[in-house]
Amino acid sequence: MQIETIDKNKLPKHIAIIMDGNGRWAKKHNRERFYGHQAGAEAAKDIVETAAEIGIRFLTLYAFSKENWNRPQEEVKSLMQLLIQGVTDNLEYFKSLNIKLKTIGDFENLPENVKQSVLTAQNQTKENTGLTLIVALNYGSRWEILEAVKKIALNIEKKIISIDDINEDLFDKNLNTAGIPDPDLLIRTSGEVRISNFLLWQISYSELYFSDLCWPDFRKAQLIEAILHFQNRERRFGKTSTQIKNNNENCK
Ligand code: FPP
């Protein structure tokens, strides 16, 4: 699959990815789970690089969920280490690609050393204007939605807003993803067909793309294939096919 086959006028603005299958990939290669996560981090770098090359504006990677704390302590520790390494070792490279780093999730409750490396990377890339890379860290969509509800309720209590001010726009602004457009395309690897508490509000109209490959095998060619698949889909946002065709000459 070649990048040139992608229609630059119909690019998904925001791609979100559930990177699943590192453990199974390691098992297939008769290795420890950590080896799978290491290979997964390499795949993540490949995908970030490709997304930047294609001209994608926003890429969200689900790196660590709130539920992932329930994994064996050793695995949690090695994942945290890998995250620090991923952010720190790639910082200069990301800067050279004009990438801006952001995170979503419960940042406060991350280990101090993870927070420090992320803050450093965020600070050093905040003026960048290319791809925005959003890493979901200690993230859970239900948690995010409840946090938004609490913020809104507090503002009502303080009489800053009234109940009538609650609408989709206000709700969007109170999510971790405020200011980031909703994903156009959601990808999940490893053959699982689940959303796993990821961006539940934001993916209301996203195209869903499921790949049978384990995450470490999902590379440049596979991202291009997913984007081509997206470009051949007709996104209707509740309208009829005819309405869309009349409204948009680019539709098939
Ligand atoms: C899912 O595979 C993967 C994760 C929970 C971790 C994702 C993390 C990385 C790819 C590495 C670091 C990423 C960045 C952005 C630096 P799994 O362990 O659930 O696989 P399994 O279902 O086969 O066991």
Side-chain angles (χ1 to χ4, degrees):
M1 288 285 168
Q2 298 293 318
I3 280 195
E4 297 72 49
T5 47
I6 292 174
D7 180 349
K8 295 272 182 184
N9 297 315
K10 281 165 67 177
L11 284 182
K13 198 183 265 184
H14 182 176
I15 300 177
I17 308 184
I18 303 174
M19 310 179 287
D20 193 14
N22 292 348
R24 276 162 285 169
W25 188 90
K27 197 168 177 196
K28 210 167 74 182
H29 291 83
N30 292 315
R31 301 291 293 264
E32 298 293 315
R33 290 180 62 80
F34 177 64
Y35 182 68
H37 291 314
Q38 262 183 329
E42 280 163 32
K45 187 176 175 189
D46 225 41
I47 293 304
V48 170
E49 195 177 286
T50 307
E53 185 183 349
I54 294 170
I56 302 299
R57 302 300 307 153
F58 299 89
L59 174 70
T60 302
L61 299 179
Y62 202 0
F64 196 87
S65 73
K66 282 205 152 272
E67 291 75 24
N68 285 153
W69 294 112
N70 299 325
R71 294 189 172 203
Q73 271 315 297
E74 272 313 297
E75 183 168 347
V76 170
K77 234 169 97 181
S78 60
L79 272 171
M80 289 299 148
Q81 208 43 50
L82 209 51
L83 284 163
I84 294 175
Q85 220 178 303
V87 168
T88 312
D89 293 357
N90 293 315
L91 183 54
E92 287 309 315
Y93 181 59
F94 287 166
K95 279 159 76 176
S96 75
L97 294 180
N98 197 18
I99 290 172
K100 182 195 283 198
L101 183 82
K102 276 179 177 277
T103 61
I104 53 171
D106 185 0
F107 192 78
E108 279 317 304
N109 289 310
L110 280 165
E112 210 48 51
N113 52 356
V114 176
K115 286 203 274 193
Q116 277 318 316
S117 54
V118 169
L119 284 174
T120 304
Q122 267 177 338
N123 256 321
Q124 293 193 21
T125 60
K126 65 172 188 268
E127 306 295 346
N128 289 354
T129 53
L131 171 77
T132 300
L133 170 63
I134 303 139
V135 183
L137 272 182
N138 197 13
Y139 177 83
S141 192
R142 288 183 174 185
W143 165 84
E144 181 192 27
I145 288 171
L146 288 176
E147 287 299 303
V149 169
K150 285 187 222 168
K151 280 192 256 173
I152 292 169
L154 197 67
N155 281 337
I156 292 174
E157 196 176 71
K158 287 185 182 162
K159 302 212 183 317
I160 295 170
I161 56 168
S162 75
I163 288 181
D164 289 338
D165 293 324
I166 300 177
N167 55 29
E168 289 190 12
D169 191 42
L170 179 91
F171 202 76
D172 270 333
K173 289 194 171 96
N174 282 281
L175 291 169
N176 288 187
T177 49
I180 299 167
D182 288 342
D184 305 290
L185 174 62
L186 173 77
I187 299 172
R188 181 174 189 145
T189 58
S190 89
E192 305 294 345
V193 185
R194 283 193 298 275
I195 301 301
S196 301
N197 201 13
F198 190 46
L199 302 173
L200 298 177
W201 170 275
Q202 297 90 336
I203 61 163
S204 297
Y205 292 101
S206 306
E207 278 301 324
L208 308 183
Y209 181 87
F210 297 98
S211 163
D212 283 336
L213 292 177
C214 291
W215 173 249
D217 290 332
F218 194 90
R219 299 293 176 119
K220 183 173 186 166
Q222 287 72 32
L223 182 65
I224 295 172
E225 200 176 321
I227 294 173
L228 289 174
H229 175 89
F230 168 83
Q231 296 192 325
N232 287 321
R233 304 290 304 166
E234 186 186 71
R235 299 179 78 211
R236 291 168 33 183
F237 299 98
K239 293 183 177 176
T240 67
S241 187
T242 318
Q243 280 175 301
I244 297 293
K245 281 189 180 118
N246 288 342
N247 286 344
N248 183 351
E249 286 177 358
N250 284 332
C251 284
K252 20 172 209 165

